[in-house]
Every structure is written in structure tokens, then in C-alpha cells.
Amino acid sequence: MRDFSVTIWLLVLGCMLSPATADEIDFNRDIRPILSNKCLLCHGPDPDALEAGLRLDQRDSAVSELDSEAVAVVPGSPQESELIARITAEDEDYRMPPADHGAPLTAAEIDLLQRWIQQGAKYATHWAYASPVRPSVPQASPQDQDWPRSPIDAFTLRRMQDHGLSPSEEADRYALARRGFLASIPATMAVRW
């Protein structure tokens, strides 16, 4: 029983923490790790290792014209972006990252970069430097107005409704006492109950 309740809580938390839309590319979550692992060794903040005058960790540099007159990232246009041309090149001498700097990008990583550029190539401050923003508490629908007792309940209710679920009726005190008891005993003993 205890394993079942842990599973339910993990599912609820997973739903609450999942991104709002699967198609929206987030720079910090999706793009920064790719750039950090595959590109920033040569196109990052180290001025001694900088290649082609291109810094991919700064938007201004990434969207500026290079000495070759190409633009690494053309927001909204992956087909015109030199970054996409280089990471998808068949010629090993032209493809990035170079073979001696690591493995080429995977198809999934290339797809993420293409979709990110298509969506406008938005950069974001690293999460550690961004000030926290308190989200507004969602309003419950009229039929569920009495269910949320706290702001956390309001967020939980909204996520449940997003997935077509509704709150269960409140458990009576006997059911709550039984749940509390079962949660306090080891899982091996709970199976016998």
C-alpha cells in the first residue's frame, strides 16, 4: 500500500513539474546543455580558445555576421543559420564539432537546435542568476471553488484539470487514520494488512 501511495505522489509531482508545452524549447533546459557539452570549448568565454570570433554563449555574438559573412544563428530561419549547416554537414572537415573535439551531435540534439532557432533563438539568463518570480495563483472554476484550501491546492487543481482529472471526495477521519497508520509501518508489513 505504501509503495502505491509513493507511486501516486511521484505521478502527481511529475505532472506538476512537466513543461507547459512539449513543443516549446527552453534555452536553459534544452539548448544550454548542448552548447556547453559540444560547442563552448571553441565558441565559449575563453578568449584563448575562441575560434572564428564566435561565442555561442552570448546572443549578440551568435546572431552577428562573422568574418566569413555568414551568421551562426538566424532567428526564425534554421536553413539560413551557419550553425545548422555546420552541425549537419556531410564533409568531416566542415562539420562541427571537429572529430578531434568529440562526437557529432545526435539527431535529437540537431532537432532541438533547429526548433529553437525556428522559435526565435531566445537566450535566457542562467537560472542561478535569475531572480525568482512568484507565479499568480490560478483561480478555481465555480464548481470547484470550495476545494482549494491553499495556493498549493489551486496549482494542484489546475494541473489535475489540465489532464482531465478532478479531486476525489474528502476522506473521512477513519480513512485518514488508516492511511497514517499504514504509512508509518514498513512496506513489508503493510502487504499483510
Side-chain angles (χ1 to χ4, degrees):
M1 187 70 172
R2 184 175 184 185
D3 292 335
F4 178 72
S5 63
V6 169
T7 303
I8 295 297
W9 277 109
L10 290 175
L11 286 172
V12 169
L13 287 173
C15 289
M16 291 174 65
L17 297 175
S18 67
T21 59
D23 294 336
E24 185 179 339
I25 305 297
D26 180 79
F27 180 78
N28 284 324
R29 181 191 65 223
D30 303 317
I31 303 303
R32 187 182 299 275
I34 297 170
L35 297 179
S36 178
N37 293 335
K38 305 280 180 136
C39 307
L40 296 187
L41 184 64
C42 299
H43 301 291
D46 184 2
D48 296 331
L50 192 63
E51 297 286 336
L54 172 63
R55 285 190 62 174
L56 289 172
D57 61 328
Q58 295 178 340
R59 188 174 200 279
D60 292 342
S61 175
V63 299
S64 297
E65 189 173 290
L66 302 168
D67 294 338
S68 64
E69 297 182 4
V71 178
V73 176
V74 179
S77 185
Q79 64 276 9
E80 294 178 28
S81 299
E82 186 69 13
L83 172 69
I84 301 302
R86 289 300 193 109
I87 63 176
T88 59
E90 296 295 325
D91 183 0
E92 289 186 22
D93 294 333
Y94 189 70
R95 184 177 42 222
M96 292 290 152
D100 60 341
H101 282 77
L105 277 72
T106 65
E109 291 170 331
I110 292 170
D111 179 59
L112 275 172
L113 287 168
Q114 288 174 328
R115 291 189 301 148
W116 171 65
I117 292 172
Q118 184 65 45
Q119 293 176 11
K122 297 176 190 136
Y123 276 70
T125 303
H126 190 280
W127 64 266
Y129 302 114
S131 298
V133 176
R134 184 178 297 273
S136 59
V137 177
Q139 296 299 314
S141 59
Q143 66 269 20
D144 294 320
Q145 195 67 33
D146 59 337
W147 190 81
R149 294 182 183 168
S150 71
I152 294 173
D153 288 347
F155 284 103
T156 304
L157 178 63
R158 181 188 64 189
R159 185 62 72 166
M160 287 171 32
Q161 290 172 338
D162 289 347
H163 293 282
L165 303 172
S166 60
S168 298
E169 290 189 27
E170 189 172 330
D172 62 21
R173 62 187 178 142
Y174 301 108
L176 292 175
R178 183 173 188 274
R179 291 176 191 170
F181 171 74
L182 290 175
S184 68
I185 60 174
T188 55
M189 291 180 65
V191 173
R192 295 184 212 150
W193 291 87

